[in-house]
Amino acid sequence: KAQTEADRAEDQKYLDETTALCAQKSEDFASRQKLRAEELDAIRKAIEIMSSDAVSGAGEKHLPQLLQVRKSALAALRSSTQAEQRIVQSDVATFLADRAQRFNSRVLLLASQRVAADPFVKVKKMIKDLI
């Protein structure tokens, strides 16, 4: 009888711990759901603000125009001499390195290093050898 009572007490303790754990997890889930709903509301509001007429055109004034710089740099690389290409390539690498440092971005730093390394040297040499 003593063993049965000890087993029952142990099982009751386990049940109480499991019930408390379940209640805690349920509370955590509910708070995360509430947080996600608030985040979605904030995103919706941000989208609404950004798409409103009040801020239309302000992006060109206040946001960096990295894509335009990149397009013009790539176009310049295609239509210029090798010396000009190296200058533009150096400018692009410097720009990317500056942005990498400014935003503490490893990806931009890696991109700046790759641009500076001129990955097409072998390809250009092979084409010249063919001609």
Side-chain angles (χ1 to χ4, degrees):
K1 179 177 172 149
Q3 181 63 36
T4 306
E5 289 177 0
D7 288 345
R8 183 186 180 284
E10 189 176 308
D11 289 344
Q12 185 63 43
K13 180 181 172 188
Y14 178 75
L15 175 65
D16 292 343
E17 289 173 355
T18 304
T19 303
L21 180 64
C22 184
Q24 179 64 41
K25 286 187 176 191
S26 178
E27 288 175 21
D28 291 347
F29 178 78
S31 70
R32 284 192 306 271
Q33 289 296 97
K34 181 181 176 190
L35 178 65
R36 296 303 170 259
E38 290 170 354
E39 288 174 344
L40 288 173
D41 287 340
I43 290 171
R44 281 189 203 101
K45 184 163 179 113
I47 290 171
E48 180 182 320
I49 290 170
M50 290 185 334
S51 62
S52 72
D53 291 335
V55 293
S56 115
E60 291 81 22
K61 178 179 176 187
H62 298 292
L63 297 176
Q65 299 298 317
L66 180 60
L67 291 177
Q68 290 180 356
V69 171
R70 182 173 172 228
K71 287 180 184 175
S72 65
L74 291 177
L77 278 174
R78 282 186 291 232
S79 66
S80 60
T81 66
Q82 282 186 342
E84 291 172 339
Q85 285 179 355
R86 286 189 202 114
I87 292 170
V88 172
Q89 186 175 356
S90 173
D91 290 346
V92 171
T94 304
F95 175 79
L96 288 173
D98 177 56
R99 295 296 182 195
Q101 185 178 12
R102 181 188 228 177
F103 299 119
N104 198 22
S105 171
R106 293 182 183 174
V107 174
L108 286 176
L109 182 61
L110 181 61
S112 73
Q113 291 170 350
R114 288 195 178 188
V115 168
D118 192 11
F120 296 106
V121 169
K122 290 182 181 178
V123 174
K124 290 176 186 176
K125 184 181 181 300
M126 290 171 61
I127 291 172
K128 284 182 182 178
D129 289 344
L130 286 174
I131 295 175

